């Protein structure tokens, strides 16, 4: 009987993509997916530590999963990802059931770590810096769930030093993946039928600067767009500071680049933005948005906002509400400030009381609800281009517009994977209900 694995992923799309790579790697070792953790020989948690909540979730999951060892003494528990990188041995002391630990730096070492653990040793490989042979990871296949839309990691790490953020510590400095390695993966994906390519990096717009022969992110966009079969391109996460004229022009010129961009603003107060060391002001952010709207046209923007950063006053918070109102984001991911060990913001004075954070958060969500309903109404009666991603039975198809909205319509299963034009009959803040006008390709 082959061995079985079960993977639980927390955190961002980068972690999600790493898990797809880990699944592919485990397949090459003869492992197969288990239906539930109870029947797995290897339980792997790919962790996140960006805020306090995901941290705590991981420990409670390990607490539950360790019961597996009562039934199956040879079963192994592995912890990968950002919490592993940040907490290392401290985590094993808290949860001795952990057998294997590694981070996004050394996924390619998993085969050796498994051997060590199977021989009865604790296989803890938390490295200070990314290893030289990190590129080896790209040689492993990747197992995806969505046959039409694929994530492609193009840059690892982050060289920015936002004062609240733990990511530069957990993912290391920026390391761009070589252009040829990216294009090779994209070619393979399109041969497999993938139509939408989603380029990933914590700071994706910084891609190329550290390459031996430096390149600009816009050149990557052009190169990917020239590959046959690439119908749509998205990228995450762009940093407002790095989003320059070249990138905006490339977005405008390349027809496959989708009309959607996630552009985290974090705060609307210039004083708070300076304390965060984000490297832009509210006015500069709004100016970028203006440029995008002028050149790219009807673009759907989404953002991240931190509520209750140390010393945030009512006035600062109102500046944030003002940005939300002015930009009209299609989606906002909002978070209460969570002090992260080792970050400058964790040592700042002027902590905002929890009640104030909660109160501001609910006001932000209230405003966003209004903005989203207003934006939704604007979709009604329009015709949208939609990539159909799945059939939900009873003749119902779902897919996404280029503005990244979910759309639902009637249609047969044979249309899954096709791009259609559809008229929006009714819109709610999270869903468009459409009727197909024509099948494009
Ligand atoms: N690289 C991306 C986002 C990384 S983390 C970027 O630069 O935008 C994802 C989001 O988590 C951030 O945009 C931020 O809004 C939030 N976040 C990060 N650290 C946080 C903290 N200490 N407390 C609360 N939210 C945080
Ligand atoms: Fe964190 Fe800032 Fe880097 Fe984003 S750009 S990962 S928020 S340090
Ligand atoms: Fe979390 Fe690491 Fe992503 S801390 S948000 S999984 S980069």
């Amino acid at each position: 009987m082959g061995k079985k694995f079960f993977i639980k992923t927390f955190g961002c799309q980068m972690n999600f993509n790493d898990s797809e790579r880990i699944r592919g790697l485990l397949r090459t070792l003869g492992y197969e997916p288990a239906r539930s953790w109870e029947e797995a020989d290897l339980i792997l948690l790919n962790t996140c530590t960006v805020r306090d909540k995901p941290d705590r979730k991981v420990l409670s999951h390990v607490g539950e999963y360790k019961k597996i060892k009562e039934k199956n003494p040879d079963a192994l528990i592995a912890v990968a990802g950002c919490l592993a990188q940040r907490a290392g041995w401290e985590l094993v002391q808290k949860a001795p059931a952990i057998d294997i630990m590694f981070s996004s730096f050394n996924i390619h070492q998993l085969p050796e770590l498994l051997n060590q653990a199977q021989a009865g040793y604790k296989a803890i490989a938390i490295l200070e810096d990314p290893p030289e042979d990190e590129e080896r990871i790209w040689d492993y296949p990747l197992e995806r769930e969505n046959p039409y839309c694929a994530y492609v990691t193009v840059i690892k790490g982050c060289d920015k030093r936002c004062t609240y953020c733990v990511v530069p510590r957990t993912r290391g400095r920026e390391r761009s993946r070589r252009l040829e390695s990216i294009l090779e993966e994209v070619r393979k994906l399109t041969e497999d039928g993938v139509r939408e390519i989603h380029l990933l990096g914590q700071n994706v717009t910084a891609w190329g600067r550290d390459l031996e022969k430096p390149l600009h992110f816009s050149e990557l966009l052009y190169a990917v767009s020239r590959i046959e079969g690439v119908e749509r391109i998205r990228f995450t996460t762009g940093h407002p500071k790095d989003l320059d004229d070249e990138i905006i022009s490339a977005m405008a010129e390349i027809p496959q680049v989708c009309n959607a961009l996630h552009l985290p603003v974090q705060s609307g107060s210039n004083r708070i933005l300076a304390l965060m060391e984000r490297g832009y002001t509210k006015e500069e952010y709004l100016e970028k948005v203006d440029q995008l709207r002028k050149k790219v046209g009807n673009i759907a923007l989404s953002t991240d906002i931190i509520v209750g950063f140390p010393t945030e006053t009512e006035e600062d918070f109102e500046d944030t509400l003002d940005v939300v109102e002015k930009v009209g984001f299609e989606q906002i991911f909002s978070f209460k400030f969570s002090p992260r060990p080792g970050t400058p913001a964790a040592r700042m004075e002027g902590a905002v009381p929890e009640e104030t954070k909660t109160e501001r958060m609910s006001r932000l969500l209230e405003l966003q609800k209004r903005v989203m309903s207003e934006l939704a109404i604007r979709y009604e009666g329009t015709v949208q281009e939609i990539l159909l991603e799945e059939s939900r039975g009873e003749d119902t198809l779902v897919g996404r517009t280029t503005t990244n909205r979910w759309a639902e319509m009637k249609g047969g299963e044979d249309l899954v994977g096709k791009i259609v034009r559809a008229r929006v009959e009714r819109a709610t803040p999270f869903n468009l209900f459409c009727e197909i006008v024509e099948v494009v390709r």
Side-chain angles (χ1 to χ4, degrees):
M1 278 286 279
K3 287 194 184 299
K4 294 209 161 92
F5 67 87
F6 178 85
I7 300 182
K8 173 105 187 140
T9 306
F10 301 86
C12 62
Q13 290 129 319
M14 302 274 294
N15 244 24
F16 184 84
N17 190 232
D18 285 347
S19 287
E20 293 180 320
R21 190 73 67 180
I22 294 170
R23 279 207 292 276
L25 185 156
L26 288 171
R27 288 276 200 176
T28 67
L29 301 177
Y31 278 81
E32 280 179 18
R35 268 175 310 204
S36 70
W37 65 269
E38 280 104 338
E39 58 173 51
D41 301 283
L42 170 68
I43 299 177
L44 190 145
L45 288 101
N46 199 4
T47 63
C48 172
T49 184
V50 77
R51 287 170 294 276
D52 182 45
K53 217 158 128 195
D55 265 31
R56 281 182 279 131
K57 271 200 225 157
V58 168
L59 281 171
S60 79
H61 272 87
V62 175
E64 187 183 358
Y65 293 157
K66 72 175 183 214
K67 291 188 209 130
I68 189 105
K69 299 195 175 187
E70 293 162 17
K71 265 199 326 202
N72 176 1
D74 292 333
L76 297 173
I77 296 182
V79 175
C82 291
L83 178 60
Q85 179 68 28
R86 183 182 72 71
W89 278 102
E90 191 192 311
L91 197 64
V92 188
Q93 273 153 14
K94 280 191 198 155
I98 298 170
D99 304 291
I100 299 176
M101 197 146 90
F102 59 100
S103 79
S104 64
F105 290 179
N106 50 346
I107 298 171
H108 60 285
Q109 290 169 356
L110 181 55
E112 297 119 76
L113 295 171
L114 276 167
N115 282 339
Q116 268 179 45
Q118 272 150 2
Y121 301 105
K122 280 228 182 292
I124 314 297
I126 296 301
L127 312 170
E128 190 116 338
D129 294 304
E132 295 273 317
D133 64 349
E134 198 185 10
E135 295 257 313
R136 267 173 50 200
I137 189 59
W138 309 123
D139 297 336
Y140 285 102
L142 185 145
E143 192 171 287
R144 292 168 299 113
E145 273 163 23
N146 187 326
Y148 308 106
C149 309
Y151 287 128
V152 176
T153 296
V154 301
I155 177 170
K156 294 181 161 192
C158 179
D159 282 357
K160 298 264 189 294
R161 289 291 176 271
C162 306
T163 53
Y164 51 83
C165 185
V166 75
V167 170
R169 288 168 183 76
T170 66
R171 297 250 164 195
R173 65 190 147 72
E174 282 166 11
R175 287 102 68 210
S176 297
R177 183 170 170 189
R178 282 180 309 105
L179 180 64
E180 206 29 63
S181 165
I182 298 168
L183 299 182
E184 201 183 296
E185 181 170 343
V186 174
R187 269 182 229 117
K188 273 199 208 119
L189 288 166
T190 54
E191 280 162 21
D192 279 357
V194 168
R195 311 193 82 188
E196 181 177 302
I197 299 292
H198 196 143
L199 307 173
L200 284 186
Q202 276 307 337
N203 193 10
V204 76
T205 32
W207 179 86
R209 290 200 284 237
D210 60 313
L211 290 171
E212 214 168 300
K213 179 175 159 276
L215 289 167
H216 189 271
F217 180 67
S218 56
E219 295 174 89
L220 175 61
L221 289 177
Y222 283 106
V224 171
S225 75
R226 283 193 287 264
I227 293 179
E228 193 171 326
V230 174
E231 303 274 2
R232 282 182 166 191
I233 304 171
R234 299 186 194 274
F235 56 90
T236 307
T237 302
H239 192 289
K241 199 167 172 234
D242 296 331
L243 188 81
D244 55 19
D245 290 344
E246 276 106 319
I247 299 177
I248 297 179
S249 302
M251 291 175 73
E253 274 179 30
I254 302 171
Q256 297 109 306
V257 173
C258 287
N259 280 357
L261 185 65
H262 186 64
L263 199 62
V265 64
Q266 312 298 0
S267 169
S269 151
N270 287 338
R271 195 180 65 80
I272 297 291
L273 285 169
L275 284 177
M276 290 176 164
E277 294 186 22
R278 286 290 287 178
Y280 54 85
T281 60
K282 173 188 180 187
E283 292 72 25
E284 282 162 347
Y285 183 89
L286 291 172
E287 173 60 25
K288 294 265 155 123
V289 170
D290 229 39
Q291 287 297 317
L292 280 165
R293 296 223 156 115
K294 267 197 202 113
K295 293 197 179 134
V296 188
N298 173 30
I299 185 165
L301 295 165
S302 55
T303 204
D304 291 346
I305 288 174
I306 297 177
V307 172
F309 188 83
T311 76
E312 186 189 70
T313 61
E314 174 61 26
E315 211 184 338
D316 293 319
F317 177 65
E318 279 167 18
D319 279 332
T320 299
L321 295 180
D322 186 50
V323 170
V324 171
E325 185 97 51
K326 286 208 167 95
V327 176
F329 293 106
E330 297 236 354
Q331 212 177 351
I332 294 182
F333 301 89
S334 47
F335 311 102
K336 288 182 189 168
F337 170 72
S338 164
R340 299 286 66 209
T343 61
R347 294 188 297 272
M348 285 180 190
E349 304 208 339
V352 174
E354 198 53 34
E355 312 87 79
T356 313
K357 284 188 201 166
T358 305
E359 184 255 345
R360 287 182 188 162
M361 185 73 130
S362 64
R363 281 161 67 200
L364 174 62
L365 293 175
E366 202 51 46
L367 170 62
Q368 182 55 14
K369 228 167 86 188
R370 200 193 81 218
V371 171
M372 281 178 76
S373 337
E374 283 167 12
L375 287 170
I377 290 166
R378 285 201 223 158
Y379 276 92
E380 288 184 355
T382 63
V383 172
Q384 300 285 327
E385 211 174 88
I386 293 151
L387 170 58
L388 294 170
E389 291 179 32
E390 61 180 289
S391 157
R392 295 222 172 122
E394 284 173 49
D395 248 18
T396 304
L397 298 169
V398 288
R400 274 175 301 142
T401 63
T402 84
T403 54
N404 212 16
R405 285 237 174 194
W406 283 102
E408 197 181 302
M409 65 209 72
K410 291 266 166 258
E413 216 164 319
D414 53 316
L415 290 179
V416 176
K418 294 266 190 281
I419 291 175
V420 298
R421 280 160 55 78
R423 183 174 303 99
V424 182
E425 304 294 336
R426 190 165 65 83
T428 65
F430 292 102
N431 228 332
L432 305 176
F433 298 90
C434 312
E435 204 159 290
I436 296 178
V437 178
E438 62 168 332
V439 178
V440 184
R441 50 191 180 269

